[in-house]
Amino acid sequence: MANPSLLILPGDGIGPEVMAEVRKIIDWLGTQGTPFDVSEGLIGGASYDAFGVPLADETLARAQAVDAVLLGAVGSPKYDGVDYAKRPEAGLLRIRKEMDLYANLRPAQCFDALADFSSLKRDVVAGLDIMIVRELTSGVYFGEPRGIEGTGDDRVGINTQRYTTAEIRRIARSAFELARRRGNRVCSMEKANVMESGVLWREEVTWVHKNEYPDVALSHMYADNGLMQLVRNPKQFDVIVTDNLFGDLLSDAAAMLTGSLGMLPSASLGAPMANGRPKALYEPVHGSAPDIAGQARANPIATILSFAMALRYSFDMGDMATRLERAVETVLAQGHRTSDLMGPEGGNPMTTSQMGDAILAALKG
Ligand code: IPM
Ligand code: MG
């Protein structure tokens, strides 16, 4: 059987730095009887500089052909003046859309060793384990019409929130499936009080629940209240399912519950391929952090945990995924900290590569 294949797209800013730490783990797995076929490519500003576009067709074709894509981060203020369609972010949106990665899984877990680093009180976040399921290929990010029309003092900016029955039903199914393997509860969030797309969202999620997943507990919240509840009492949730834009906001907020944005992994999954594996892209929730790029200060944990999700969701290596997550937990419990995890009392942060080495050492056990 062919080795599992991975395309690594480090991207911009701290992307290449955190990805280098994942490479260490991949290389070690190779010595343990699980060799991956790894190739690399460019995305975001790095691709724009090389090819004049944030995602080249050839890179996209390779992404479509591999078992899973690992992505670092995209974006830099360097491209602020560049045409919207050629900005680094456009490359990320294109790869999500073209691979039809509609289900974005963003788990927010609070490691015990970090419970004091959250801006919320320890007892509110300690032991937190929730999953945000964000619709990723539709909604206001992609809806037409869009654009800026008019001239001078008389312009209008237009974006369209649009969801079809099929789009809502498939993301609802992803959420219910996940819930069955966790706490069996789904909370769906929209703004049905002001948006027709929200009314349809609520109706279709309810339809899927009634007809296909009546055993799962379903609740609904308006997204503004949902975000408030998320910071008031996050442990009330198990799985949250929501649209593209609300999911973007909710997941950034959820990241802070865990202590640092540098901790949150994600998986973006699509339909099964011919080999039975889902189309898949794994990336940290954090961005390219241009302010700390090149300083060896980035936290590689979100990217390493994203690779753990790849082991679990793409490669049927759930046991190794758990081992890797435990290794992260171990180094945190030992007091290893990158600069984002220093807390008010300060201290001596370790470098990106030292953190990667510590996690690998813990993994080897
Ligand atoms: C995310 C990011 C992206 C998004 C940006 C970089 C386009 O914020 O993955 O959450 O808005 O989806
Ligand atoms: Mg975001």
Side-chain angles (χ1 to χ4, degrees), residues 130-150:
I130 62 176
M131 176 72 85
I132 296 178
V133 179
R134 168 189 178 193
E135 199 291 326
L136 200 62
T137 52
S138 184
V140 75
Y141 273 57
F142 296 98
E144 302 279 349
R146 66 184 299 159
I148 299 177
E149 292 174 3

Side-chain angles (χ1 to χ4, degrees), residues 5 63-64 66-69 99-103 105 267-282 309-310 312-316:
S5 58
Q64 298 275 23
V66 292
D67 292 324
V69 178
M99 291 177 73
D100 200 18
L101 305 169
Y102 61 90
L105 280 43
S268 303
L269 307 176
M273 301 184 281
N275 62 12
R277 292 178 170 134
K279 275 255 153 88
L281 180 149
Y282 300 87
M309 292 185 87
R312 179 171 292 123
Y313 293 107
S314 283
F315 300 118
D316 272 328

Side-chain angles (χ1 to χ4, degrees), residues 15-145:
E17 299 169 45
V18 292
M19 204 54 88
E21 303 313 308
V22 174
R23 276 309 275 266
K24 292 177 183 168
I25 292 164
I26 295 171
D27 291 346
W28 178 74
L29 285 174
T31 69
Q32 302 300 300
T34 316
F36 287 86
D37 285 339
V38 183
S39 58
E40 280 215 20
L42 300 176
I43 194 166
S47 171
Y48 180 82
D49 289 344
F51 309 124
V53 286
L55 178 68
D57 291 343
E58 183 261 348
T59 312
L60 178 62
R62 283 162 62 204
Q64 298 275 23
V66 292
D67 292 324
V69 178
L70 294 183
L71 192 141
V74 299
S76 160
K78 189 178 149 194
Y79 307 97
D80 281 354
V82 172
D83 181 40
Y84 191 80
K86 293 196 168 171
R87 293 237 188 112
E89 291 79 4
L92 180 58
L93 296 184
R94 178 164 183 231
I95 199 169
R96 288 173 176 172
K97 184 71 175 174
E98 299 257 4
M99 291 177 73
D100 200 18
L101 305 169
Y102 61 90
N104 183 215
L105 280 43
R106 298 190 159 187
Q109 271 168 303
C110 183
F111 290 91
D112 202 51
L114 295 185
D116 291 318
F117 291 81
S118 172
S119 47
L120 274 69
K121 294 192 186 77
R122 166 176 267 277
D123 59 318
V124 175
V125 296
L128 178 75
D129 179 7
I130 62 176
M131 176 72 85
I132 296 178
V133 179
R134 168 189 178 193
E135 199 291 326
L136 200 62
T137 52
S138 184
V140 75
Y141 273 57
F142 296 98
E144 302 279 349

Side-chain angles (χ1 to χ4, degrees), residues 96 106 134 141 247-249 251-252 285:
R96 288 173 176 172
R106 298 190 159 187
R134 168 189 178 193
Y141 273 57
D248 184 43
L249 308 183
S251 59
D252 258 33
V285 169

Side-chain angles (χ1 to χ4, degrees), residues 25-341:
I25 292 164
I26 295 171
D27 291 346
W28 178 74
L29 285 174
T31 69
Q32 302 300 300
T34 316
F36 287 86
D37 285 339
V38 183
S39 58
E40 280 215 20
L42 300 176
I43 194 166
S47 171
Y48 180 82
D49 289 344
F51 309 124
V53 286
L55 178 68
D57 291 343
E58 183 261 348
T59 312
L60 178 62
R62 283 162 62 204
Q64 298 275 23
V66 292
D67 292 324
V69 178
L70 294 183
L71 192 141
V74 299
S76 160
K78 189 178 149 194
Y79 307 97
D80 281 354
V82 172
D83 181 40
Y84 191 80
K86 293 196 168 171
R87 293 237 188 112
E89 291 79 4
L92 180 58
L93 296 184
R94 178 164 183 231
I95 199 169
R96 288 173 176 172
K97 184 71 175 174
E98 299 257 4
M99 291 177 73
D100 200 18
L101 305 169
Y102 61 90
N104 183 215
L105 280 43
R106 298 190 159 187
Q109 271 168 303
C110 183
F111 290 91
D112 202 51
L114 295 185
D116 291 318
F117 291 81
S118 172
S119 47
L120 274 69
K121 294 192 186 77
R122 166 176 267 277
D123 59 318
V124 175
V125 296
L128 178 75
D129 179 7
I130 62 176
M131 176 72 85
I132 296 178
V133 179
R134 168 189 178 193
E135 199 291 326
L136 200 62
T137 52
S138 184
V140 75
Y141 273 57
F142 296 98
E144 302 279 349
R146 66 184 299 159
I148 299 177
E149 292 174 3
T151 51
D153 295 334
D154 200 15
R155 298 193 298 161
V156 51
I158 302 160
N159 290 94
T160 304
Q161 167 82 336
R162 182 176 188 278
Y163 270 107
T164 66
T165 296
E167 286 167 345
I168 300 168
R169 287 186 186 176
R170 70 178 181 173
I171 192 67
R173 288 185 184 107
S174 301
F176 287 124
E177 287 293 334
L178 278 162
R180 275 184 177 164
R181 282 180 267 138
R182 299 172 41 99
N184 216 36
R185 290 180 295 124
V186 170
C187 180
S188 170
M189 296 188 188
E190 26 57 17
K191 286 281 289 178
N193 49 346
V194 286
M195 297 165 74
E196 283 76 7
S197 59
V199 173
L200 187 72
W201 182 280
R202 191 175 284 221
E203 288 176 5
E204 293 301 342
V205 171
T206 303
W207 186 92
V208 172
H209 175 247
K210 182 163 167 273
N211 290 286
E212 300 172 19
Y213 299 91
D215 52 300
V216 181
L218 172 67
S219 59
H220 304 272
M221 275 185 195
Y222 297 138
D224 53 346
N225 177 41
L227 188 46
M228 186 274 278
Q229 293 294 336
L230 191 65
V231 291
R232 190 186 70 86
N233 175 20
K235 284 189 250 177
Q236 70 184 285
F237 297 112
D238 177 25
V239 174
I240 293 172
V241 63
T242 191
D243 76 13
N244 203 342
L245 182 60
F246 295 143
D248 184 43
L249 308 183
L250 283 157
S251 59
D252 258 33
M256 280 321 291
L257 305 175
T258 70
S260 166
L261 194 49
M263 296 295 300
L264 239 71
S266 82
S268 303
L269 307 176
M273 301 184 281
N275 62 12
R277 292 178 170 134
K279 275 255 153 88
L281 180 149
Y282 300 87
E283 58 174 320
V285 169
H286 65 69
S288 56
D291 52 323
I292 61 162
Q295 300 173 26
R297 287 171 61 196
N299 182 352
I301 292 181
T303 312
I304 289 173
L305 291 176
S306 299
F307 180 62
M309 292 185 87
L311 294 175
R312 179 171 292 123
Y313 293 107
S314 283
F315 300 118
D316 272 328
M317 294 174 67
D319 289 346
M320 185 54 80
T322 304
R323 247 180 92 180
L324 185 50
E325 288 157 357
R326 294 263 157 77
V328 169
E329 204 170 344
T330 302
V331 302
L332 292 173
Q334 289 165 345
H336 293 303
R337 302 278 183 267
T338 40
S339 60
D340 56 311
L341 300 175

